[in-house]
Amino acid sequence: MDHSFLSALILLLLVLDPLGGLPIYIPIMNSVPKERRRRVALREASIAFAVLLGFMFGGEAFLRVMHLSERSLEVAGGVILLMVAIRMIFGAEGGVYGTPEGREPFIFPLAVPLLAGPSAMATVLLLASRQPERVMTWVLALTVAMAISGLVLLACERIRRLLGDSVVAALEKLMGLVLTAIAVEMILAGLKRYFLG
């Protein structure tokens, strides 16, 4: 499944799921003093970007060292995306991430795994390994997607007040449906390349 800049950007936005992360971002950012929120949001988005960029450029070497094929990565990435999509559609009560009371989040849980989670890592690895000649296009798509995610993180409380909880939940479920189709396509493409070469 070859990608263009636009399809890669949409895929990365679906995987990063900035709107879907709002229910988790809001309580975490509320525990940060108001004067520190901007700095924390920018720092966490920058760390997540650096992690994903590292996976993008080190992806091919990583596959070689771990003796993994692109086909297995494609199927594994599709399975992870499918799990994320199912969670987005059906939801989960409460968050699985959190920070101790009174402590500012650093790397965990905002940068990793909320922004740069396993599905995002698998996606950038897959983009770079499938079409390495277009790596600068993927860097640009990742930069734009992470900038949008960072803006959402900065404005999470304002967005929740503006849209309302029901609209945010509906958008998350809609994105989950689209991501399900993309995940199934990735799995089928990997299986097809495995069985048919």
Side-chain angles (χ1 to χ4, degrees):
M1 186 169 81
D2 289 346
H3 287 282
S4 64
F5 167 78
L6 185 60
S7 67
L9 174 60
I10 291 168
L11 175 61
L12 286 167
L13 282 172
L14 286 168
V15 170
L16 292 171
D17 188 25
L19 288 178
L22 281 175
I24 303 171
Y25 298 160
I26 290 164
I28 293 172
M29 292 304 282
N30 280 346
S31 68
V32 177
K34 279 190 178 179
E35 66 276 6
R36 295 272 309 154
R37 286 179 191 168
R38 182 181 173 85
R39 186 182 299 239
V40 167
L42 291 172
R43 182 190 68 208
E44 297 301 301
S46 299
I47 291 169
F49 177 72
V51 168
L52 293 178
L53 204 59
F55 267 79
M56 186 177 284
F57 281 103
E60 210 172 315
F62 177 79
L63 289 177
R64 278 199 306 271
V65 168
M66 299 301 293
H67 304 289
L68 297 172
S69 68
E70 291 176 27
R71 297 177 296 277
S72 63
L73 181 65
E74 198 159 18
V75 173
V79 169
I80 293 169
L81 287 180
L82 188 59
M83 291 169 68
V84 169
I86 289 169
R87 191 168 187 270
M88 285 166 66
I89 293 167
F90 294 106
E93 284 302 312
V96 292
Y97 310 114
T99 50
E101 215 34 62
R103 277 189 56 192
E104 186 177 283
F106 180 67
I107 301 176
F108 179 88
L110 287 178
V112 180
L114 287 176
L115 289 172
S119 55
M121 292 174 188
T123 302
V124 296
L125 269 171
L126 188 59
L127 284 171
S129 64
R130 283 291 302 279
Q131 294 173 278
E133 71 283 355
R134 302 192 62 200
V135 72
M136 293 317 293
T137 303
W138 313 144
V139 170
L140 183 59
L142 177 62
T143 304
V144 173
M146 192 55 73
I148 292 169
S149 298
L151 287 173
V152 170
L153 184 58
L154 274 170
C156 62
E157 182 58 33
R158 233 174 291 165
I159 291 169
R160 189 193 63 77
R161 280 200 308 265
L162 181 69
L163 297 178
D165 293 333
S166 58
V167 174
V168 169
L171 284 172
E172 181 181 6
K173 292 187 188 322
L174 179 62
M175 287 188 287
L177 286 169
V178 176
L179 193 57
T180 301
I182 292 170
V184 170
E185 184 67 31
M186 282 176 69
I187 293 168
L188 291 175
L191 292 173
K192 181 180 175 184
R193 292 175 71 205
Y194 178 79
F195 288 110
L196 304 177

